[in-house]
Amino acid sequence: MTPSATSTRVPSKPTGLECRMAVLGADVRLTPHRREVFDVLAASTDHPTAYDILDRVKARSPGISLATVYNCLDHLTSAGLIKQVHLERGQSRYCANLHEHVHFHCETCGKVIDAHPATDFDPAKFWNLPKGTRITRTDLAIHGTCDACAAK
Amino acid sequence: MTPSATSTRVPSKPTGLECRMAVLGADVRLTPHRREVFDVLAASTDHPTAYDILDRVKARSPGISLATVYNCLDHLTSAGLIKQVHLERGQSRYCANLHEHVHFHCETCGKVIDAHPATDFDPAKFWNLPKGTRITRTDLAIHGTCDACAAK
DNA sequence: TTTAGAATTGGAATGATTCTAAAGCAAGTC
DNA sequence: GACTTGCTTTAGAATCATTCCAATTCTAAA
C-alpha cells in the first residue's frame, strides 16, 4: 500500500473532505475507503444509492465490499460530512451538498435535483406547531415532473 | 356474514369513507376489510404502520392477514383516500388526514403529529427550481423535540 | 514491537414489503 | 338459480435493502 493510502487524522494533502472536517470539527478516522466513498459522492450530483456508490468506488478499489460502503456512509453521515436522503421507501440516497437545500424528485424519470433557497425559509412561520416544540431540521421533498420530462 | 358487511359501490349507510369517495370521485370496491382498514386509520391520529393497523383491525376481524392490510392500504392510497408517509427509512406510516399539512417527528419519543398551515405556502417562492418544472406535491417533514420531551 | 482498538470482509440474519398460486366471493348472465 | 368472470383474500415464499456477526487485517499509541 502506498503511503498516500494510509489512514490518518492529519492529512498531508488536504482535500475537500479534510477542509470539511476542519470546518465542522468532525472527528472521523480517514481511511482510504472512507475517503474514496466521500470523493465519489462529492463528484456525484445524482444522489446515488449505496449500490451506485459501490459500483463507482469499485473502479478504484475493486475489492471493496457493500458492507464497507454502508459502514463508510454511516460514519460520514454521523459525522455530518454527508447527508442521507429518503425520498420514498426503498433505497436511501446520499448527498454531499451541505448547503441548505431541498430535493426535487421527478416522478417520471426518477431524477433528483437539489434546489437552493431563493429566500429565507422558516418552517415555524408557516405551520402551527405546539408551543415548546424544538426544530432541529426540516426535510422538504418536492415531487413532480422535471423540465425535460415535462417538455416531452 | 351480515348484509352490512357485504362489499358494495353504493352503500346504504354512508360513512366518512363514502363521503370521501364521492368528493374525490374515487372508485374502489368497498369490501369489509377495506372499510375496516380505513375506519381504523381514520380513528387514529398516531400515523400507524401496517403492523399497527393489522393489530387494530384484528379486534374486529381476527382472521385478517398482513398481506390483506397491505393490499387494502395500497388500494386506498392509490385511490387518494389516504396518504402514505415516509419519515425515515423503515416502516411506512399511513395518514387519513387529507387536509394540507406537514409532519412533525419527535426524535426523542418517535411521535408524529400533523401541523396545519398558518398561512399559504408555495414552495416555488422559496426554492429555485429549473424553468418548466411541474410540482405535483410537496412533503415537508420537520424533525425535532416535541413539547413534552423538551419539557423533561 | 507489542498491543488494544478500529476497520474491513463475506456471509448470515433481519425487517418490511411484495409476489404468487390457490381458494373464496360477488355481480351479472343465461 | 347455476355459471362465468374477475376481483379479493390468504399463507407462505421471495425479494430487497440493510444490519449484524465473527474472523481477519490494519493502525496508532505505548
Side-chain angles (χ1 to χ4, degrees), chain B residues 7 29 51 66 70 91-92:
Chain B
S7 77
R29 200 192 313 187
Y51 278 84
L66 179 60
Y70 272 112
Q91 298 173 83
S92 296

Side-chain angles (χ1 to χ4, degrees), chain A residues 12 15 18-20 22 27 29-30 34 37 42 45-46 50 53 67 73 87-89 102 109 111-112 117 136 139 141:
Chain A
S12 49
T15 69
E18 279 95 15
C19 293
R20 186 169 286 198
D27 182 38
R29 195 177 342 172
L30 222 44
R34 290 183 186 170
V37 165
T45 56
D46 62 345
I53 293 168
L73 290 169
L87 285 165
E88 323 193 77
R89 84 167 308 286
V102 304
C109 65
K111 190 169 68 173
V112 177
T136 54
D139 277 340

